[in-house]
Amino acid sequence: MAAIAITATGFQIFSTRRIFSCSRTMLPSNMMMDTNLTRQVKLSSSSCVSLVKPFPWSFISAPPKDNNVVTRAMANENDKNSVQGLSIDLRGKRAFIAGVADDNGYGWAIAKALAAAGAEILVGTWVPALNIFETSLRRGKFDESRRLSNGSLMEIAKVYPLDAVFDSLDDVPEDVKANKRYSGSSNWTVKDVAESVKNDFGSIDILVHSLANGPEVTKPLLETSRKGYLAALSASSYSFISLLQHFLPIINPGGATISLTYIASERSIPGYGGGMSSAKAALESDTRVLAFEAGRKKQIRVNTISAGPLGSRAAKAIGFIEKMIEYSYANGPLQKELLADEVGAAAAFLASPLASAVTGSVVYVDNGLNTMGLATDSPSLSV
């Protein structure tokens, strides 16, 4: 049994075993609490994502006093006004987001959310798309989508060329090395990029994997070649292992990693073929194993977000993304459009101290579609 007492100097939580107290004089600025946690997260500034104004808190323990169970809350008008809420504060943190090549995918939305929370942003862009991406940034074509809620623009500290299919230069075939789309870039393998980031910035705190590719994604699994199947796993799941393996030495202890998965990992999605469903299943399994290994090595958390369908340029390669979006809208418990910013907000939470005990998890951000077992327009369903 427990009791909470809120006073002008802080608050205390009483229990039959411990007394936890909090005073304002010892509270870190990045930890907050709120009496109304149902409010939606808004990207309120370039330095902090807040539910409401911050109220910092911390706990200290004291010996037990009694075994009585009492619940009470005490606050005067000043106390009520001072209890302000949780915030996501990533100031002083640095994030590397692999797989940003335009301004309308989940990778971009995650970068924007992390920037709004105060993190410094580095991105890795697929080599053939690098020139267009950097040119668009330089000419201001992304300025509107870079804009944060406070009017400032998201800043990208550096853009790195990256092809996460290749761990080192020794793995790159001669035809790729000779390809004119790669000729103007260097140091773009996973190993090279990790070393470049180390040389440029020293360390990072957040690693985001927003990569997927299946050259035979439009083929049914029964028609998928071995080469196509393995290519899907290499680009979409092993690439995350490789990134974490090479970046691990420069991720600060207590850091966080996030990847993106899809419900096809556990449900049959006809048309999402070429081994991509297998790659997403592998990614989720690897998330659990890597959570243990990276957690034991450096207290690094590993989570993946199972996001609903989004009409990004990359997703259009599937061929029926609009139908997937329509189906999700019609059959999800929350009948609304899924926004990339909602996935970005979830990623910001997972990267923050608020998720310090969350690791090895698949976090669904899909308007609840994953919970459904029958389409709402099915003749078998009458509601």
Side-chain angles (χ1 to χ4, degrees), residues 198-240:
K198 179 182 179 180
N199 292 335
D200 294 339
F201 296 94
S203 65
I204 64 171
D205 303 279
I206 302 162
L207 176 65
V208 178
H209 176 275
S210 181
L211 299 165
N213 183 50
E216 299 180 16
V217 65
T218 58
K219 291 184 179 181
L221 195 56
L222 279 173
E223 298 175 14
T224 299
S225 69
R226 182 184 297 271
K227 181 179 180 181
Y229 184 92
L230 294 178
L233 265 72
S234 175
S236 308
S237 53
Y238 186 80
S239 57
F240 178 56

Side-chain angles (χ1 to χ4, degrees), residues 262-273 277 320 324 327 369:
Y262 180 52
I263 197 173
S265 63
E266 55 186 287
R267 301 280 193 276
S268 177
I269 307 291
Y272 191 74
S277 58
F320 64 105
M324 294 169 72
Y327 179 88
L369 186 66

Side-chain angles (χ1 to χ4, degrees), residues 90-136:
L90 298 176
R91 287 172 292 184
K93 305 297 183 181
R94 182 177 297 115
F96 181 87
I97 299 99
V100 179
D102 55 42
D103 65 339
N104 72 343
Y106 284 137
W108 177 272
I110 292 172
K112 190 174 177 181
L114 297 178
E120 184 178 22
I121 303 300
L122 316 174
V123 302
T125 299
W126 188 45
V127 183
L130 180 67
N131 184 54
I132 295 176
F133 181 70
E134 288 190 314
T135 300
S136 297

Side-chain angles (χ1 to χ4, degrees), residues 348-372:
F349 161 72
L350 289 172
S352 78
L354 296 179
S356 60
V358 180
T359 193
S361 297
V362 178
V363 178
Y364 296 94
V365 185
D366 62 357
N367 286 328
L369 186 66
N370 70 93
T371 65
M372 299 299 293

Side-chain angles (χ1 to χ4, degrees), residues 75-106:
N76 57 31
E77 227 24 69
N78 291 331
D79 294 327
K80 291 178 182 177
N81 292 334
S82 66
V83 179
Q84 299 295 337
L86 295 163
S87 80
I88 296 176
D89 188 351
L90 298 176
R91 287 172 292 184
K93 305 297 183 181
R94 182 177 297 115
F96 181 87
I97 299 99
V100 179
D102 55 42
D103 65 339
N104 72 343
Y106 284 137

Side-chain angles (χ1 to χ4, degrees), residues 131 166 173 258:
N131 184 54
F166 305 109
I258 302 164

Side-chain angles (χ1 to χ4, degrees), residues 2-7 9-15 18-23 33 58-60 62 65 72-74:
I4 300 176
I6 304 175
T7 68
T9 59
F11 69 87
Q12 289 185 318
I13 299 176
F14 300 87
S15 74
R18 295 256 184 206
I19 298 174
F20 297 95
S21 64
C22 170
S23 66
M33 70 178 293
S58 68
F59 291 107
I60 57 174
K65 287 189 176 181
R72 55 198 172 98
M74 302 177 296

